[in-house]
Amino acid sequence: MSTKYEEILVVTYRLFAEVGIEKTSMSRIAKELGISKPAIYYYFPSKGALINTLFDFLMKEIQFQNFFNQEEYTPHNIRQKLIVDGHAMIKQQAADPHYEKVMSEYYALSAKETKFAIELKHVLHIYLEGFTRLLELAVAADLIDRKDVHLRAQFLTLIVDGLDKYTDKEYNVDPSEIWTFAVHSALKN
Amino acid sequence: MSTKYEEILVVTYRLFAEVGIEKTSMSRIAKELGISKPAIYYYFPSKGALINTLFDFLMKEIQFQNFFNQEEYTPHNIRQKLIVDGHAMIKQQAADPHYEKVMSEYYALSAKETKFAIELKHVLHIYLEGFTRLLELAVAADLIDRKDVHLRAQFLTLIVDGLDKYTDKEYNVDPSEIWTFAVHSALKN
DNA sequence: GTCTATAAAGCGATAGAC
DNA sequence: GTCTATCGCTTTATAGAC
């Protein structure tokens, strides 16, 4: 059973994907829920609060640590674990039909609202650091050179960042295959 | 000397990047140009027309053929030419300070306006076909297997698509280096 | 071609009753 | 907690004068 607070967030999330953040009006959210506009204001002080709450939720969802747990990585298993964890990430994001569009909305919003830009950049930076640390295990295993770590961490970050765009489309290539190829490329000397 | 028609488009393009498409009002455009709102309606029948005109312009700008000219490619020069053409593309897109943000705006808009979604997908599809044809030259040169062409064309398309995100930020890695690495990866057996 | 003035609609948000 | 009613503002777009 879900609370009204949660119901509002769920409907708003869907509308942000379908209609866009700016064009999603409080009236529209109320209408879809079968309640009145002031009822939403009882739970959220403003539309901005609704936008911020969903953004914070999303940022937690996409954190590096949710998909790649550094503690489980060893110089021995790094290749296979990178591949498997990436596949799990792709699968999870594909399971949410609104994910890509809502992210795209927030990305556009970040052009005008510094707060979002800073946070999105931060999340990307953590991916960069995370992949850097994982790739250093590959250095220890003599798979790659230390000097190549930085560039290849950037490379993997870019791929991860771009993969969701290819997730819900019928490009007759599984994004998982691209990820697998990218991991092999990143670990090739 | 530029016409008023062009002046309107230039200012609107900048505002789309700085303020966002939806939050850019006709009044704001008029104000920045030092003219009145109805004056804009003399040149463009609606705000939608303004949005469409700039979109069409942008789609022509980012076409595959503008950056990768298939006729100049041979099995011999493919590696070097892919790298050089990619660098030129990165340089050109970085030269336009509004490019990334406006593209991001249209990408968000494509979530609700099918017209844009279809066109963006089409442009991506042409990249896919283009890289496929170029990589077939690499097959002829025995650089890679035919069976790998499709996946690697997808791979290069994803990279190209994602690179502009890294263009205007201080990630202390040149996106050109990522592209170079990607090309070498795509041409490795 | 460009203006002032304004119509018509929708927005976020609030007051106050229940 | 949820409602009806409404305020104040901004939006796209147009009418009509110059």
Side-chain angles (χ1 to χ4, degrees):
Chain A
M1 193 54 190
S2 63
T3 68
K4 189 128 280 182
Y5 179 90
E6 287 166 335
E7 278 175 36
I8 292 170
L9 284 177
V10 167
V11 165
T12 304
Y13 183 76
R14 176 173 57 77
L15 285 174
F16 278 4
E18 289 175 358
V19 189
I21 292 177
E22 281 165 19
K23 283 202 169 162
T24 296
S25 67
M26 299 299 265
S27 326
R28 176 71 181 271
I29 298 169
K31 198 177 171 185
E32 300 252 349
L33 280 161
I35 61 176
S36 74
K37 193 162 57 171
I40 298 174
Y41 280 94
Y42 176 80
Y43 295 96
F44 296 92
S46 67
K47 186 183 174 183
L50 218 37
I51 295 173
N52 288 336
T53 304
L54 281 176
F55 182 73
D56 293 344
F57 170 76
L58 213 48
M59 289 305 100
K60 270 177 198 141
E61 283 281 294
I62 65 173
Q63 278 186 38
F64 183 80
Q65 301 93 319
N66 293 357
F67 304 111
F68 303 92
N69 184 354
Q70 198 198 345
E71 294 170 16
E72 297 171 358
Y73 277 74
T74 67
H76 195 73
N77 73 6
I78 177 165
R79 180 187 306 265
Q80 203 51 36
K81 195 138 181 52
L82 266 177
I83 291 171
V84 170
D85 284 352
H87 289 180
M89 186 193 68
I90 290 164
K91 196 178 168 189
Q92 180 172 322
Q93 292 181 349
D96 175 359
H98 306 306
Y99 169 75
E100 188 216 335
K101 283 173 182 174
V102 176
M103 273 303 292
S104 161
E105 282 289 319
Y106 276 109
Y107 196 80
L109 200 57
S110 77
K112 321 143 219 172
E113 298 229 27
T114 331
K115 173 194 181 304
F116 299 131
I118 291 170
E119 192 61 33
L120 281 168
K121 197 168 178 174
H122 179 65
V123 168
L124 220 58
H125 189 72
I126 290 183
Y127 269 83
L128 199 56
E129 286 180 348
F131 282 132
T132 300
R133 261 180 274 119
L134 296 187
L135 286 178
E136 271 160 8
L137 294 175
V139 175
D142 257 334
L143 287 167
I144 59 173
D145 283 355
R146 165 147 280 119
K147 67 168 171 50
D148 293 331
V149 166
H150 189 56
L151 176 64
R152 295 181 187 205
Q154 295 272 356
F155 170 75
L156 288 179
T157 304
L158 186 152
I159 299 276
V160 160
D161 200 31
L163 272 178
D164 50 322
K165 235 186 196 170
Y166 294 75
T167 312
D168 67 340
K169 288 164 191 156
E170 76 310 333
Y171 281 122
N172 64 0
V173 155
D174 191 345
S176 299
E177 285 186 45
I178 298 182
W179 175 248
T180 304
F181 177 68
V183 170
H184 284 309
S185 296
L187 294 179
K188 198 164 277 179
N189 221 336
Chain B
M1 193 56 191
S2 63
T3 68
K4 189 126 281 180
Y5 178 90
E6 286 166 335
E7 279 174 35
I8 292 169
L9 285 177
V10 168
V11 165
T12 305
Y13 183 75
R14 177 173 56 78
L15 285 174
F16 278 5
E18 291 174 357
V19 190
I21 292 177
E22 281 164 20
K23 283 203 168 162
T24 296
S25 67
M26 300 299 261
S27 325
R28 176 72 181 271
I29 298 168
K31 198 176 171 184
E32 301 252 349
L33 280 162
I35 61 175
S36 77
K37 195 163 53 171
I40 299 175
Y41 279 95
Y42 176 79
Y43 294 96
F44 297 91
S46 67
K47 187 183 175 184
L50 218 38
I51 296 172
N52 289 336
T53 303
L54 280 177
F55 181 73
D56 292 344
F57 169 77
L58 213 49
M59 289 306 101
K60 269 177 199 141
E61 284 281 295
I62 64 173
Q63 277 186 36
F64 183 81
Q65 301 93 320
N66 293 357
F67 305 110
F68 303 92
N69 184 353
Q70 198 199 345
E71 294 170 15
E72 298 171 357
Y73 278 73
T74 67
H76 195 71
N77 72 7
I78 177 165
R79 180 188 304 264
Q80 203 52 36
K81 195 136 182 55
L82 266 177
I83 291 171
V84 170
D85 284 352
H87 289 180
M89 186 194 69
I90 290 164
K91 196 178 167 188
Q92 180 172 322
Q93 292 182 348
D96 176 358
H98 305 305
Y99 169 75
E100 188 216 335
K101 283 174 182 172
V102 176
M103 272 304 292
S104 161
E105 282 290 318
Y106 275 109
Y107 197 81
L109 200 57
S110 77
K112 323 141 218 173
E113 297 229 27
T114 331
K115 173 193 182 301
F116 299 131
I118 291 170
E119 191 62 33
L120 281 168
K121 196 168 178 174
H122 180 63
V123 168
L124 222 57
H125 189 71
I126 290 183
Y127 269 83
L128 199 57
E129 286 180 349
F131 283 131
T132 300
R133 261 179 275 119
L134 297 186
L135 286 178
E136 270 160 8
L137 293 175
V139 174
D142 256 336
L143 288 167
I144 59 174
D145 282 357
R146 165 147 280 120
K147 66 167 172 49
D148 293 330
V149 166
H150 189 55
L151 176 65
R152 295 180 188 207
Q154 295 273 358
F155 170 76
L156 288 179
T157 303
L158 185 153
I159 298 276
V160 160
D161 201 31
L163 272 179
D164 51 322
K165 236 188 196 169
Y166 294 75
T167 311
D168 67 340
K169 287 165 191 155
E170 77 309 333
Y171 281 121
N172 63 359
V173 155
D174 191 346
S176 299
E177 285 186 45
I178 298 183
W179 176 247
T180 303
F181 178 68
V183 170
H184 285 309
S185 297
L187 293 179
K188 198 163 276 178
N189 221 336

